[in-house]
Amino acid sequence: MQINQIRISCEINGTRCEDDIAPDLTLIDFLRSKGFLSVKQGCDTANCGLCTVWLDRKPVLSCSVLAARANGKAVTTIEGVQEEAEAFARFMADQGADQCGFCSPGLVMNILAMERELENPGPEEIRHYLSGNLCRCTGYASQMRAIDAYLAAKGGTV
Ligand code: FES
Ligand code: FES
């Protein structure tokens, strides 16, 4: 017998969400169908980082995770960390790193995850952590200046 729908129950940015979904639905398509259009689709092959969200506060590539994996878990998109994202965006703007912005939601989710996971990361650790977040506009130098300034302002060392 073919299973056409499965029921999942999760939290998205602190709000309970229950739905019947196709077993092969990806997390990114699930989130975008719920209106979370901040979650961007780039490569769709786990290579660009644009689709990064958190699953139980750990960053995942939502193009490569089934929505069914969110069952019983907490999903966070950039809307769920809006104040922190806006604070970081000011550093991006100061450094001229806010160009087309298409990569920004995924990058910000990974930077905020890195901040929680690594204590006082150095430049190499930062580059390694963010190596999966591609950007076609900036060449990364302005982004790295923004990250350095943001972490320094928050008391971390770079
Ligand atoms: S769209 Fe998911 S990694 Fe590129
Ligand atoms: S700012 Fe355009 S892709 Fe990164």
Side-chain angles (χ1 to χ4, degrees), residues 49 52 54 78 81-82 84-86 88-89 92 103-116 130 133 150:
T52 303
W54 296 350
I78 201 165
V81 287
Q82 195 172 344
E84 285 176 90
E86 285 173 0
F88 178 69
M92 292 272 277
C103 66
S104 297
L107 174 68
V108 169
M109 293 309 288
N110 230 8
I111 289 168
L112 298 181
M114 176 183 75
E115 206 185 339
R116 285 160 170 77
L130 302 176
N133 289 89
Y150 170 76

Side-chain angles (χ1 to χ4, degrees), residues 50 92 97-104 134-138 143:
L50 266 65
M92 292 272 277
D98 55 341
Q99 295 191 34
C100 86
F102 197 61
C103 66
S104 297
L134 305 187
C135 174
R136 298 190 76 171
C137 299
T138 64
Q143 289 180 346

Side-chain angles (χ1 to χ4, degrees), residues 10-75:
C10 63
E11 266 187 19
I12 305 176
N13 300 330
T15 300
R16 173 70 45 196
C17 174
E18 292 191 11
D19 205 355
D20 295 314
I21 61 165
D24 61 352
L25 183 69
T26 57
L27 184 56
I28 188 172
D29 287 342
F30 176 65
L31 291 170
R32 289 181 62 85
S33 76
K34 297 293 177 197
F36 296 99
L37 301 180
S38 67
V39 186
K40 301 299 184 206
Q41 199 149 22
C43 64
D44 220 14
T45 56
N47 281 293
C48 75
L50 266 65
C51 63
T52 303
V53 299
W54 296 350
L55 203 52
D56 279 351
R57 303 184 77 77
K58 296 284 181 203
V60 297
L61 298 172
S62 60
C63 71
S64 301
V65 173
L66 290 175
R69 290 275 306 278
N71 188 40
K73 296 193 168 139
V75 182

